[in-house]
Amino acid sequence: MILVDLHLHSTFSDGSLAPELLVARGRSKGLSVMSLTDHDTAAGLPGFMTACSRWNMQCVTGIELSADFRRTMHILGYRINYRDPAFESVLESLRKGREWRNGEMVRRLQKMGLDISMEEVAAEAGGDVVARPHLAKVMVRKGYVNDLPSAFARYIGDSGPAYVERDRLSPRECISLIRNAGGLAVLAHPVQTADTIGELREISAGLKEWGLWGMECISSRHTSEQIFQYLSVAAEFGLFPTAGSDFHGSANPSTAMGIPVSEDFLPWARLGVTL
């Protein structure tokens, strides 16, 4: 058995650790393979890849794209050429949409009587991509809420009064973007996307047609029964199962880094990994 984690977030999206510290944590945990999959950005990958090389860690370039779907659907992209001009152009467009969304959420909070500025939130992010956890940290620091979960529950969670939807690509566009950048598209944490196995089978059939390569079957978000069911669906549609914790650090302290799998769990060479 080996420890791997193909679903990790850094401070460049909504994680609490810089890419370099993420690699150091993975090495201390004994991980054999890591992938940084920040939300809608590849900005953390250069530092991540450099750190992996320094620590002699096997790594895979990655990203997590939010798809426009009736429920939460995230598409992971592995072994992407993140310097591809067309890929960078789309990510830049998504970044601008995120900036507008952040500003709009701040404006809504201000209307609710919270004295918070966009400058404070940007400073909290420390030059990294600004995301909701940074906004939540400012709210905690200024005493409007006691902790990050409270900020999401009361204000900026998906059903909160200050929540603002953001522009998303369609599932097909997410898969095409990843494939056109030379990558492999994988459905992340299917537990968030489908309520039933029948629904997941229907969704998987469509995604497979558009070029989906794999499904994140083994995750800290899944029960043992769900893992068994997802592995069955993946096998049925010829999708490769992947494993990832969706680690965010202190932003979600209940999630630990690292998933144990057998050495032949994946065709590692297809991901550019040599074990």
Side-chain angles (χ1 to χ4, degrees):
M1 299 290 284
I2 57 174
L3 270 182
V4 305
D5 206 322
L6 301 177
H7 194 159
L8 301 165
H9 294 281
S10 78
T11 49
F12 280 85
S13 63
D14 55 353
S16 65
L17 296 179
E20 296 80 5
L21 293 178
L22 203 60
V23 175
R25 174 78 66 90
R27 187 173 185 272
S28 71
K29 294 277 186 182
L31 266 64
S32 295
V33 185
M34 304 177 68
S35 182
L36 178 62
T37 56
D38 278 329
H39 292 285
D40 302 330
T41 180
L45 286 175
F48 176 76
M49 302 298 286
T50 298
C52 283
S53 177
R54 184 185 311 126
W55 289 103
N56 197 29
M57 290 283 297
Q58 292 282 337
C59 59
V60 181
T61 57
I63 197 165
E64 184 172 14
L65 301 175
S66 299
D68 187 8
F69 192 67
R70 61 182 180 271
R71 291 194 58 189
T72 298
M73 179 184 284
H74 293 168
I75 306 293
L76 295 160
Y78 293 126
R79 208 182 182 184
I80 51 170
N81 174 13
Y82 59 92
R83 292 190 174 93
D84 177 77
F87 185 76
E88 288 182 324
S89 176
V90 174
L91 293 188
E92 174 65 13
S93 176
L94 293 174
R95 184 188 64 79
K96 289 180 178 178
R98 183 186 291 271
E99 288 177 352
W100 173 85
R101 178 208 197 198
N102 290 332
E104 184 61 25
M105 283 193 291
V106 167
R107 285 187 286 274
R108 291 190 182 189
L109 289 169
Q110 290 171 344
K111 287 182 179 179
M112 296 169 66
L114 280 67
D115 181 20
I116 292 176
S117 69
M118 195 62 230
E119 289 74 19
E120 288 177 295
V121 179
E124 185 67 44
D128 297 331
V129 175
V130 176
R132 281 187 290 174
H134 302 123
L135 181 53
K137 288 178 181 179
V138 173
M139 294 166 70
V140 171
R141 179 165 50 80
K142 302 194 82 168
Y144 292 117
V145 292
N146 293 326
D147 50 37
L148 299 189
S150 297
F152 278 83
R154 291 177 56 188
Y155 294 103
I156 59 174
D158 291 359
S159 58
Y163 176 76
V164 176
E165 187 60 72
R166 60 190 173 90
D167 291 337
R168 303 173 193 271
L169 303 173
S170 71
R172 188 171 190 170
E173 287 172 329
C174 289
I175 294 171
S176 294
L177 180 65
I178 291 165
R179 285 166 57 88
N180 289 341
L184 305 169
V186 172
L187 176 64
H189 37 64
V191 68
Q192 296 186 21
T193 304
D195 286 324
T196 67
I197 290 302
E199 184 183 8
L200 181 60
R201 292 180 70 255
E202 182 181 335
I203 292 168
S204 298
L207 296 178
K208 174 69 175 182
E209 262 187 49
W210 295 332
L212 191 73
W213 183 80
M215 178 185 294
E216 188 177 58
C217 297
I218 306 180
S219 168
S220 54
R221 296 174 180 264
H222 302 157
T223 65
S224 296
E225 181 181 3
Q226 287 170 333
I227 290 172
F228 176 79
Q229 292 174 329
Y230 298 155
L231 287 169
S232 298
V233 173
E236 178 180 352
F237 290 96
L239 300 171
F240 288 97
T242 67
S245 68
D246 198 5
F247 179 80
H248 285 76
S250 62
N252 186 4
S254 63
T255 300
M257 181 188 290
I259 307 285
V261 298
S262 61
E263 285 197 23
D264 60 355
F265 177 68
L266 274 171
W268 295 109
R270 184 68 181 84
L271 292 167
V273 172
T274 303
L275 292 179

